[in-house]
Amino acid sequence: MRSLKIGTRGSQLALVQARTFAKTIEQYSGISTEISVIKTTGDRLTQKPLATIGGKRLFVKEIEEALLSGEVDVAVHSAKDMPTELPKGLAIGAVLPRADPLDALVLPIHLKKLERGTSAIIASLGPTPRVGTGSVRRISQLRRILPQARFDSIRGNLDTRLKKVDAREYDAIVLAVAGLQRLGYTKRISMALPIDLCVPAPGQGAIILEVRSDDRSAQSIVKSVNDDASAAAVVAERTLVAALDGGCQAPIGALALPYDSNLDMWALVSTLDGTKTIVCRHRGPVTTPELLGQELADQMIAKGAQAVLEDAYRAQAMPEPHS
């Protein structure tokens, strides 16, 4: 293979991720690359909250179709956008080195010199802040520290969201640390939310390279940039979500972090109002991430995770998994 055609979404972050992969491939293999921007259903429905439009392939369906048809050779996805079940004929070829997986609270820019720390930031927001996020996972966890907050959906490119919070349309917004860092907005992070306040989305901060199962050339190329520790963590997190039968907008958090030769993993499920929350932690060898994810899911299920998720689906009429 002398050239590689890369399929990606057209968002700012998606393009940065695709270009990072392309540059790496060109530097280390000498293979030329071409980036093909593909508009997905999630990109077209920018005015609607994700929880209301449902579906498990909002940001990947059209890209995967292009991959299956041979229009592109590899698809670059944010790992947290990918359903746990892949279409027949496709496979995960590699995972790039993971960025910071935590969530970040971002305040209006005029407050950037505010004293940092959980208590100071919560106090600065006032008793009834308007917080921009459409993630039911984030909302369910943040209600514990901001019980009177109003959570409103916010969509669009990262710079658009930052302009909205700076214009005081929101008192704060919640974004992924990784996205802010990759787009050069690290200084806008008012506080990275620690795991005990907000367990991140499964796969957050990781980039997955998807290929056709029968394309040995593309598989060999992407495998050369695979990060073993990041890949193991993503496998563990995706295994847990699959075992819990969680939809893409379910309030499920999962994070596996390399620790010596092990993975240290946290998982959370919650009702939308945050009144019922189950959190578990488990550690296992980095060489058996599927087993770690399954064992942690079993712990969650034994503590009532399925009932909590069913409550969450009913609360906002969220689409059930497999719908």
Side-chain angles (χ1 to χ4, degrees), residues 280-294:
C280 290
R281 184 177 179 182
H282 192 43
R283 183 178 294 178
V286 71
T287 53
T288 55
E290 296 95 340
L291 180 60
L292 173 61
Q294 183 63 57

Side-chain angles (χ1 to χ4, degrees), residues 12 45-49 106-111 130-134 152-175 180 185 188:
Q12 292 172 314
L45 302 176
T46 57
Q47 302 305 313
K48 296 183 179 181
V106 177
L107 303 179
I109 195 167
H110 74 276
L111 297 176
R130 185 183 181 192
V131 180
T133 177
D152 291 328
S153 178
I154 182 170
R155 300 281 309 278
N157 279 323
L158 191 145
D159 60 351
T160 300
R161 301 186 200 193
L162 292 175
K163 288 177 182 177
K164 288 183 177 181
V165 72
D166 290 342
R168 299 308 301 267
E169 293 181 36
Y170 302 89
D171 297 301
I173 57 177
V174 188
L175 302 167
L180 287 160
Y185 289 105
R188 291 304 310 269

Side-chain angles (χ1 to χ4, degrees), residues 66-81:
L67 185 57
L68 283 168
S69 70
E71 294 176 43
V72 298
D73 303 304
V74 58
V76 181
H77 304 291
S78 291
K80 69 177 182 178
D81 290 341

Side-chain angles (χ1 to χ4, degrees), residues 207-258:
I207 300 170
I208 284 179
L209 308 177
E210 190 178 25
V211 295
R212 290 185 295 277
S213 304
D214 60 357
D215 190 343
R216 303 304 178 195
S217 295
Q219 289 177 29
S220 177
I221 292 169
V222 302
K223 188 176 181 180
S224 67
V225 297
N226 183 61
D227 184 79
D228 292 339
S230 298
V234 168
V235 167
E237 294 162 21
R238 287 170 59 81
T239 299
L240 177 132
V241 175
L244 293 177
D245 202 19
C248 67
Q249 279 293 300
I252 298 176
L255 177 62
L257 295 176

